[in-house]
Amino acid sequence: MFRNQYDTDVTTWSPAGRLHQVEYAMEAVKQGSAAIGLRSKTHVVLAAVNKASSELSSHQKKLFKIDNHIGIAMAGLTADGRVLSRYMRSECINHKFVYESPLPVGRLVVQVADKAQVCTQRSWKRPYGVGLLVAGLDETGPHLYQNCPSGNYFEFHAFAIGSRSQAAKTYLERKFESFMDCSKEELVRHALHAVKESLQEEELSSANCGVAIVGVGEPFVILDSKTLQAYIESLEGAKDDQATKIEVEEERNPAVIERQDVSGGGGVGVGAEGEGPSDMET
Amino acid sequence: MFRNQYDTDVTTWSPAGRLHQVEYAMEAVKQGSAAIGLRSKTHVVLAAVNKASSELSSHQKKLFKIDNHIGIAMAGLTADGRVLSRYMRSECINHKFVYESPLPVGRLVVQVADKAQVCTQRSWKRPYGVGLLVAGLDETGPHLYQNCPSGNYFEFHAFAIGSRSQAAKTYLERKFESFMDCSKEELVRHALHAVKESLQEEELSSANCGVAIVGVGEPFVILDSKTLQAYIESLEGAKDDQATKIEVEEERNPAVIERQDVSGGGGVGVGAEGEGPSDMET
Amino acid sequence: MFRNQYDTDVTTWSPAGRLHQVEYAMEAVKQGSAAIGLRSKTHVVLAAVNKASSELSSHQKKLFKIDNHIGIAMAGLTADGRVLSRYMRSECINHKFVYESPLPVGRLVVQVADKAQVCTQRSWKRPYGVGLLVAGLDETGPHLYQNCPSGNYFEFHAFAIGSRSQAAKTYLERKFESFMDCSKEELVRHALHAVKESLQEEELSSANCGVAIVGVGEPFVILDSKTLQAYIESLEGAKDDQATKIEVEEERNPAVIERQDVSGGGGVGVGAEGEGPSDMET
Amino acid sequence: MFRNQYDTDVTTWSPAGRLHQVEYAMEAVKQGSAAIGLRSKTHVVLAAVNKASSELSSHQKKLFKIDNHIGIAMAGLTADGRVLSRYMRSECINHKFVYESPLPVGRLVVQVADKAQVCTQRSWKRPYGVGLLVAGLDETGPHLYQNCPSGNYFEFHAFAIGSRSQAAKTYLERKFESFMDCSKEELVRHALHAVKESLQEEELSSANCGVAIVGVGEPFVILDSKTLQAYIESLEGAKDDQATKIEVEEERNPAVIERQDVSGGGGVGVGAEGEGPSDMET
Amino acid sequence: MFRNQYDTDVTTWSPAGRLHQVEYAMEAVKQGSAAIGLRSKTHVVLAAVNKASSELSSHQKKLFKIDNHIGIAMAGLTADGRVLSRYMRSECINHKFVYESPLPVGRLVVQVADKAQVCTQRSWKRPYGVGLLVAGLDETGPHLYQNCPSGNYFEFHAFAIGSRSQAAKTYLERKFESFMDCSKEELVRHALHAVKESLQEEELSSANCGVAIVGVGEPFVILDSKTLQAYIESLEGAKDDQATKIEVEEERNPAVIERQDVSGGGGVGVGAEGEGPSDMET
Amino acid sequence: MFRNQYDTDVTTWSPAGRLHQVEYAMEAVKQGSAAIGLRSKTHVVLAAVNKASSELSSHQKKLFKIDNHIGIAMAGLTADGRVLSRYMRSECINHKFVYESPLPVGRLVVQVADKAQVCTQRSWKRPYGVGLLVAGLDETGPHLYQNCPSGNYFEFHAFAIGSRSQAAKTYLERKFESFMDCSKEELVRHALHAVKESLQEEELSSANCGVAIVGVGEPFVILDSKTLQAYIESLEGAKDDQATKIEVEEERNPAVIERQDVSGGGGVGVGAEGEGPSDMET
Amino acid sequence: MFRNQYDTDVTTWSPAGRLHQVEYAMEAVKQGSAAIGLRSKTHVVLAAVNKASSELSSHQKKLFKIDNHIGIAMAGLTADGRVLSRYMRSECINHKFVYESPLPVGRLVVQVADKAQVCTQRSWKRPYGVGLLVAGLDETGPHLYQNCPSGNYFEFHAFAIGSRSQAAKTYLERKFESFMDCSKEELVRHALHAVKESLQEEELSSANCGVAIVGVGEPFVILDSKTLQAYIESLEGAKDDQATKIEVEEERNPAVIERQDVSGGGGVGVGAEGEGPSDMET
C-alpha cells in the first residue's frame, strides 16, 4: 500500500500529469477475456474468447449487435459495456429516424468516447472499466475502432484487447498486411487463428469463442455455433472448400427496441447456440 | 485491517483494475441462505432455503412472484431484493399495458442488471447486496437467469447461490444433463435434492424450504406447504406416484398492484402456509 | 478504537459483505425499552414498557394508533419512530380515500420497510434507529409484524424487541402455541406476563406499561390506565372474572388529520391517563 | 481527544447504537442558563434566569410569546431557538387562518420535534442546540412540554432545563403534587422559588429573571419588571396579600407578523423593562 | 496543532456542546478595528476607528447608512459585513414599499441574526466573520443593537467591539448612566473619548476615526471630516460652545438603489472627505 | 508541512479568526507581475509590467478596457481576472441599457467585491487569485480602486500591486501629493517612473510595459506602442516637448459584445502593437 | 510521498499562492507528443508529431478542423481536447448562424480559455489536461494562439508544445523573424524542420507527422499524406521547385454537424491517409 495520494480520486492529477484512476480502469480491460478484430477491404470480423463462469451456465456474451451496420466486442466489466452498447443503439436509432440514413461508424465512436470522457472528469463518477472493439460499415467502407476507458479511441487494421491478447496481437502484426484482400472466409479463419493464440492451454471450439461479421452487402451477424464449428473444423483441416460456406442465421430483428433493451436477441437459447449472457470478467 | 485505500468507495478503482466495493457486495450474496434454480424444456423450478429468525416468526420469504410468467428467488439482503422486485413488477405491468404482451424474460433481466450497474458508478450510493435467480417463460421457452450486484447477469441450465450453495451446485452439475427432458414433478424433486445438499445438518421439510414453478401453460406459482410436503415425502419414499400430483393454489391475483406493493399475497397467513416475510440474511 | 474503516459510512460494504452502520442502527433498537406483541385468531395485543425520564414527567408514549385497524409499538429512537408513524398514517388515509377500503396490513409494512431501505443506501442519510411492532387487522385476519432499521420485516405469532426483551421472548416461546385460541382478555394477560418478565426489578403497574388491542369488530385502542390497572390486578389475583371486563375509551377521532399530526389524541392529559409524550430511549 | 471516530458526523451510528452528535447537542442545552416551567389545573408558568452579557447590555431574552395561547422558554443557543420560535409562530398563524381555531399545543410540539428530527438525519446539517419549554392552553387544558435537540418531546407537570437546573428540579419534585390546585399567584411564587435555587450565589431580582403566564381566560403574557418585582418582594415577605395582584401589561399586538418577525414586542425598551435581546448562552 | 477534531466543521458539535467554528468566527470580530456605539433618549451615535492600509489609500469605511433611520458600524471582515448591509438595505426598502413605513430597528436586527444563524447550520458555508453595531430610530425611540456571527443579537445602552475595545468599554461602563440625558453634541464627545481610549498610541483625528448620528428628527448621517475635526478640537479644548454646531452634509440620496449597491455615496472623493472604501481588517 | 488543519478549506476559520485560504489567494496576487495606478484631478493612469512567456510570444496583456469610462490592470491569475472583467463589462452594458447612463465606478467596484466575497464562503469554490486596479471616471471625477481576492476594495490616490511592487509604492508615496495637479502627460511619466522601479534589472521599453489612460473628456485608452515609446524616450530625455503629444488610437469598438467576449480588440496583431494575450503569472 | 496537503484539490491554494492541481494538469501537456505552429503575414501552419500506439493502428490524430477559417493542434489528453474542439465547432456554427460572419479567432480562444478556467474553480471537476495551438484567419489576418489548462491563452509568432518541444522551440526562435514574409510552402518546410528537431531518433515521414494550413483565400486543410510526403522529400532535396506545389484535398464538408460530432471527416480511411483516431498520450 505504498502508493500515492493522487490515485484514489478520478479528478486528481498526479504531479507527473497523470490520472491514475483512469489508468487503473484501463487495467480492468486487460483483466477481461480477449476480444479480437480485423478488417479487409470489404469486411470486418470480430472474435471473442468466451469464458463460462460455471459448467451450468452458458458462456459469457461478448459480442453485441448495435445496428445492422455496426457491432461490438468487449473486454472488461460487461455491465459497464452494456451501458455503452445501450447508448450506441439508441444513437443509431435516433440518427436513422432523423436523417433516414445509418449513423457513420466514426461518429458513433466519437460519441461513445465523449461519454467515457465525462466519467473521467466528475468526482462522483468513475471511468468505465470496459474496452470496446467497434466493427462497422458505412459509406467510406468497413472500419474497426477501439474505445478506451480514458475517452480515447483508435482506428485499427486489426487489434486485440483483454487478457493474453499479446499473443493474438503478435499473430495479427505478422499477418495484417495480407488482410486487406482477404475474402470474408479467410478473414474469419485469421480471426480464429488469433483467438487460438490467446487461448493457450484451451482447445478452440464453438463453445469457448464467438465470431461476428459485418461487410459490404451483409448486415452485422453473430455466427451461430454450427457455422462457427464448421469454420473451426475447416481451420484444422486447413482446407477452404465450399463446405464451409457460411450459412448465417441473422438474429431476429426486434421490431421495437425499447429504451433499456440491450440484450439483442433475448430469445436465443443457451444450450444450442452457446451465446449466454455476459459476465463480470475481472 | 491491513486492507487497502481502494476498497471503501464504490467509485474508486484499485491499481489492479478491480472495484472492491462491488466484490464485497457480492460477498453479501454468499452470506444469504441458499437459493436454487433449474430448468427443463418446459418448466423452470426455483427453490429456496427458509431460515426462521425465531421460533415465533414465520420463515423468511425468499420466493417472489413478479408476473404470471416470471418469478424470482433471492439470496442476500432481502430489503435490497425487495426494491429490485418492485421495479421488476412495475416494468412487467408497464410492458403489458403498452404492448399488450408479457415482457420477455431476458429483457427484464437486462433492465435489472442496468439498474444494478448504476449503483456501482455513483459515489453516494452502494451496490445492491442481493443476488437474484429469475425464472421465466416467454415465446422462446423457459429461462433461468442470475442477476448479480455487479450489474452482470448469466443464463443457466441450473444454478445455486447463497451460503453452502456449493454442495447444491455439485449436485446440479452431476445431474443437469438430464434436466431438459424432466417432467415438472421430476424437476421439483431434483430441486429438493439440491436444497437438501445445502441444508446439511437440518432435516428437509415444508417449513425450511420453498419451491416455485413456472412452465408452459402454467403461471408462476409458489407451492403451498401441503403440496410441498407431499413432494418431500415422495422424495423420501423415492416414489413418483399419482398421490403427489400437485394441487397448486395459485396466489390470489391482486387486481390492482400499487406502486409500493411488493408483498405478493399479503394476506397469506403465517402458521398454515409457512410463507413469512423476508429477513436480513447476513 | 480498533474497529475498522468500513463502519462509519452506510454506503460502505465490509469485506465480509456486511453493512456495519445498519447493524449499529439495529443496536439502537436493543437499547430502547421493551415492546411486546402477540396474536390470537381474532386479536392482536401490543404492550410496551414505559420509562419515565423524570418523576415530573409522564411516561414515554410507546404505543401509537395508525388507523382504526392498525397500531404500532416502538423501541429505539422514538423521534425516528414518529417520522415513520406519520408516514404510515398518511398512507392509510390516502388508501382509504382512493380505494374506499382500509390499507392491508402487510402492504403498509412493506411500504415502511422500503422507506427504511432507502436510508441504508444514501450516503447523506442514516438508517432509522427504531424497531416497530405493527399490529393490524384486515380481510385476512389479525397480523403482527416487525419492521427493522435494515429495511426488513417479519411476521410473528408473538415477539418482543428492545432492552431485556429476551426474558419476554422466552415467555412467549413457551406459551405461544396456546395464543391462537385465547380470548382478548387472556391475550392481554399473556402480554402483561411477558412485560413483567422484562421489567425485572420493577413492579408492574399501569404507570410503567401500556397495552393496546385491535381485533375483529374492535378498532385499535390503547387501554386507559384504569382498565389496564384492572387487568394488572386480575393478573395478580389470577382471576378472570367479569369485573375485568374492559371498558375501553377509544381515543377521540381527529376529524382532520393534518400532515404533521402524529400525536394521536393530543389532548389526553398527563396525570390521569399516564400517556405522556415520547422519549429518546437510548 | 481520545474519543472515537463515530462522534463527528450526525449521520454516523456508534457500535453501541448511539448518535453522539445528537448527545453533544443536548449538552449545549445544559450549558444554557436555566429555564423553568410548572403547571396547575388552570395555568402554566414559565420562568427563566436572565444572564446579562455586560453591564451595558440588557439581560438576555429567554421567554418568547408564540401565540395568544402558547409561549416558550429556551435554554441553549438562542439563535437556534429563534429559528424554531419563528417556525412555531408561523404554524400557529397558518392554523388559525385555515381552521379558525388555535393550534392545539400538543400538535405544535410534535411539529417542532419533527423539524428537529430532520436535523439529526442529514449529513450537511447539525442538530439544533436548544431546549424549549412550551407552555400552552387549549381545549384540553394547560400543558407544559419540553422539546429536545434529539427530536423528542415530553409532557411535564413541572420541569427545569439548563445550567444548574438540578437544584430547581429538586425543588419542583418536592412540591409538584401541590401545584395542580395552586392559584396563578402561588404558581408564580413556586416558579420564583425554583429560579432562586438555580441562581445560587446571585440575589433574585426582576433584572436577573423573567416570568411568563398563560391560563384559562388569560392570554400568554411576559410579566413586566414592576409586576415581577412585586412578586419577588411578596416572596421575601412570604405574604400573599392583595398588593401583589398582578397588573400585567400585555405586549403590544403586532397587527401584521411578517415572515421573519420573531422579536415579539420589538419596541420594548432596555432600561425600564429589562427585556433585552437574546444571547448565545454556552 | 493539539486542538481537537470538532473544530473544523461548522456543523460538528464538540462533546462539551460547543460549536468551535462559530467561536472562531467571533474571534475575527475581535481582530477588526474598534467600533463604538452609545445612546441617549433622543440620539444614537456610532464611532469607528479608521485604519488606513497605506499612506496612499483612504481610510477604511467602517460606517454605513442603511436607511434614513438606520445605520451600522462594523468590526471584522468588511467583505462579509457588506453582504449583510446590502441585505439590510434591501429589507428596509421592501418594507417601506409594502407598508409605507420604515422598518422597525429590532425587526431588522432579528432578520440579520436569522441570516447569520443559517451560516452556522450548513456544512458548505461558514459563519460570517463580522460584528455589527446597529443604530436606529423608530416609533419606540432610539436603539443600539449588536449582531454577532453566532446569530445572536443584543440591545445595549452603549457598547464597543473590535480590537482594543476593552478600554472603550471601560470608559462607557463608567459613564453610561449619564448618557440618557445627553445632548447630541455631548453624546458625540463621549463617543470620541471612547474611541480615544482604544486608539492608545495614536492621536485622535478626523482621519483615523469616523462618527455617525441618528436621532429624533434627524436622519442617519456620517459626519464629514470638517465637522468631525471641529468636534475633536472642542474635545481637546473641553469647550462646548456654539462654534462646534454641527453642519452635517447628508450623503446624496441615490434615487435608485439597485440590488448590489451597497456603496452608499459612491461619489464621495478620497482626499477631501476621508471616507475611503472598506478593508479586510484581520 | 507543519502548517495547520485550518488552511485547506475556504470555509474553515482558524482559532485566531483567520481564513487562511483567502490569505493564500492574496499571495497569488503578490506573485503576479506588477500593476500600477495613479490619479490626478482629471485623469487616472494605469501601467503594467509585461512579462513575455517566450521570445516567440507577445507580452502578456495586463490592461483591459471595461467600458468607455472604466478600465483595469490586473496582477495574479489572469484567467481569474478575465472572469471578473467579463462580469464588469456585462454590468456596464446592462446599466447603460437600463439607465441610459454610465455605471458609477464605485458601484461597479462594490459589485466585483461582492462577487469575490461569495467565493470565500462556499466550500466547493475557491477565492479568485487576482488583484485588480480599477481606473474610472464618473460624475464625481476620476477614481482609482483596488479589488482584492478577499472581497475587499480600497480607493487610492496611487497604488501598486504584484511582484516587486514595493519599489513602485515607495516612489508613489514620495510623489503622490503632487499628482492631483499633474497634466495627463506628467501623470504618464510618473507611472513610467514607478514601473521602472519595479523592473529592476530590466530596461524600460514599450515591449515590457503597458500604459492606459482615462480622463475628463477622454475615453479609456490603452496606449499604442509608438505613443508609449515616445513617452519613454521623453522620460529619458527628461523633456516634455510637443513631440510626445499622445496620438492614441482607440481600440476598435466592438459593435456587439457577446456574453463570453472579454478579449477587447481581438484583432490587434502581435508583432506591431505588442499587446499579446494574457498569461498565468504565478 | 513527501509532497504537501495543498496539491490534491483544485480549489485549494497553497500558502505560496499556487494551485498545484492546475500545474499538474499542465504537466500532462508536456507529456503529450509535440505540436508546432508558426505564422507568416498570410498563413498559419500547424504541425504535429504522430505517435502510433501500435503497428496495427493508424497514427494518432492530432490536428482538427474547427471551421473553414480555424483549426487546432493538441498535446496532452486528446479525450479532453476533443471536448474542447467540439465546443469550439459549436461556437463557430452558432456565430455564423446568428451573425452571418465567421467567429473572430481571438474571441473563440477567449471562450475556450473561460471554459478551462471554470474547471480550475469547482471542487468536483479537474482542469483539462490538454494544450491547444489554435490557428485561424479573420479580418485582422492570420493568428496563432495557445490555450492552457490554467485558463490562460497566448498569441504567438510561432510555438511548440508537448514532449521534446524544446528543440523545436529553439529552431523557431532562431528563425521566426523570417517567417512573416515566407510563402506558404516555405512555412510548411519550416514547420517540418521544427518537427524533425523534436523527433530526435525517428526519421521524418508522412506517417509520423501531420501538417495543416490555413491562410488568406485558403480554408483550413489538413495535408493528405501524398502532399505531405512531397513536402518532406523537397525538404531533403532542399529544393523548392514546382513539383511540390501542394495539391490539397480538402476534407469532405459534413453537411450537417451534429452535437457530438467532432470527428471531422469520419470517413477518412486508415491505411491510405495515415490519419487515425486520437490517443491518450501520457
Side-chain angles (χ1 to χ4, degrees), chain D residues 211-231:
Chain D
V211 169
I213 308 172
V214 64
V216 176
E218 293 179 83
F220 184 86
V221 65
I222 301 168
L223 297 190
D224 61 48
S225 91
K226 211 172 67 184
T227 314
L228 180 57
Q229 194 57 44
Y231 269 118

Side-chain angles (χ1 to χ4, degrees), chain C residues 55-74:
Chain C
E55 196 186 349
L56 296 165
S57 82
S58 53
H59 286 282
Q60 300 169 326
K61 193 170 180 183
K62 303 283 299 293
L63 301 167
F64 293 86
K65 181 174 180 178
I66 299 300
D67 199 348
N68 275 332
H69 66 305
I70 301 182
I72 60 173
M74 58 176 67

